Each structure stands twice: as structure tokens, then as C-alpha cells.
Amino acid sequence: MIRTALFMLGIMTVITGLLYPLAMTGLAQLFFPYQADGSLILEDGKVKGSRLLGQSFEAPEYFWSRPSATTPRPYNAASSAGSNLGPLNPDLKKTIEDRRLALQAADPGNTSQIPIDLVTASGSGLDPHISPEAARYQVARVARHRGISVPAVQKLVDSHVQSRQFGFLGEPVVNVTALNRALDDHVKSRQSN
């Protein structure tokens, strides 16, 4: 019985620990190479990020991402984590208030209600998306700092809204990295004309 058990352990280890992962990796590389390689964003042959991971944008001419709670720096993919602070925790309340004040200081003329995803971190701390409302909240500030019309920036936002997966899963979102790259491209094309 022990010999049979050890034989099965060896067989299953080879199948589930070697053959299956190799087969899945090969199929992923064959049919979905961009996704299998991490959905990397390349610019001039250099990796500038991933469409799957949030990035820090702090300059006022960019759309700002959802805050990150990772340590020791924001959007640290090696330290994915939420803040784990409960809704009654005074540290969470202070953090949200500080973020609210920073948003108001960056755009003092904006009296709209601040979307919740601009002041709270996601569970992973690496979410690359914000809600369409969070992107629209930032349109006037970005337009002003870029010297672009508000309708032109709004059009960029609208073109980057991703609808629900399969039409019913999740909520519409905007990938901040993709939106900011499109914004840079828009400005470059205007300057070259």
C-alpha cells in the first residue's frame, strides 16, 4: 500500500506540478501573449508599467489614481494590501480627510462631491481603475493644467470608460494609466500640428 501511495504521489506531482503548469503557460503564451506577459505597457522598448497595476500620478496635469495603501511606497506590487482600518478607526478618518483636502487644494474651484474612490484605497492597494465619476471630477483640473478644452478632455475620459464585463459583471471603470497615456498622446499630437 505504501508503494502504491508513493507511486501516486510521484505521478500526481509530475502531472499537477510540472505538466499542467507547463501546458497552461504554453497555451497562455500561444493564445494570449500580451496578457500572459503581464499586460505590460511599452514605450520606446522600455516597460512603463502594466495595465493591471495602478501607478502613482501626482502632477496636477494628470488624472490621479485611486490611493494605494501598500508599503513602503504606493503601488508597490511586492506588498499588495489594503489598509485594514475599520470604518470607525480615527486613522482612516484622518487619512480620508487629508486626501479630501489635497483634492480640494489641487482644484479649489471644484465644488462637486468628491467620489469615494478618490479618497479610499482598494483592497489590494494596486487597483488601476477609478470610476467614471472620479475621472469626470478631475476633468477641469487636468484641462486647465494642460491648456486643453474641458470638452476635449471629457471626450478622452468618455472614450476610456470600460463597460461592465460581459454586460453585467462589475461597474464601469476607467484605467487611469491608459487614460493618462492617451492624454499625453493627445497633447503631443496637438503640439506637432
Side-chain angles (χ1 to χ4, degrees):
M1 192 173 287
I2 290 175
R3 188 170 26 168
T4 304
L6 290 175
F7 176 75
M8 283 306 297
L9 174 65
I11 292 293
M12 294 308 290
T13 299
V14 169
I15 291 172
T16 61
L18 184 65
L19 297 178
Y20 179 77
L22 285 174
M24 290 301 104
T25 301
L27 289 172
Q29 286 293 332
L30 182 65
F31 294 110
F32 307 104
Y34 175 72
Q35 294 87 342
D37 290 336
S39 301
L40 299 177
I41 299 169
L42 301 174
E43 189 174 291
D44 300 325
K46 295 181 182 177
V47 175
K48 295 293 183 177
S50 168
R51 292 184 57 87
L52 304 175
L53 298 173
Q55 296 182 31
S56 182
F57 295 97
E58 297 176 359
E61 64 268 16
Y62 285 104
F63 286 89
W64 293 350
S65 302
R66 187 167 188 176
S68 174
T70 63
T71 58
R73 61 183 175 4
Y75 307 101
N76 179 5
S79 178
S80 174
S83 69
N84 292 329
L85 299 176
L88 300 178
N89 189 306
D91 291 340
L92 179 63
K93 291 180 180 182
K94 182 183 180 328
T95 299
I96 289 173
E97 182 61 16
D98 291 346
R99 291 171 179 161
R100 186 186 68 76
L101 291 173
L103 285 164
Q104 287 180 332
D107 195 6
N110 191 342
T111 59
S112 301
Q113 183 174 354
I114 298 172
I116 192 76
D117 53 327
L118 288 179
V119 294
T120 57
S122 68
S124 69
L126 300 172
D127 195 347
H129 302 103
I130 57 175
S131 65
E133 294 76 23
R136 291 182 187 112
Y137 176 85
Q138 302 179 69
V139 164
R141 172 182 46 85
V142 171
R144 185 174 63 253
H145 285 279
R146 290 284 184 146
I148 307 172
S149 71
V150 168
V153 176
Q154 182 62 53
K155 185 177 178 184
L156 272 175
V157 169
D158 292 342
S159 70
H160 281 80
V161 173
Q162 300 169 2
S163 59
R164 295 176 170 163
Q165 191 173 17
F166 308 120
F168 66 94
L169 292 176
E171 294 296 323
V173 293
V174 175
N175 186 304
V176 178
T177 303
L179 177 58
N180 282 333
R181 289 179 52 77
L183 186 62
D184 284 343
D185 291 345
H186 178 77
V187 170
K188 286 178 190 172
S189 69
R190 284 184 62 221
Q191 290 172 346
S192 64
N193 290 334

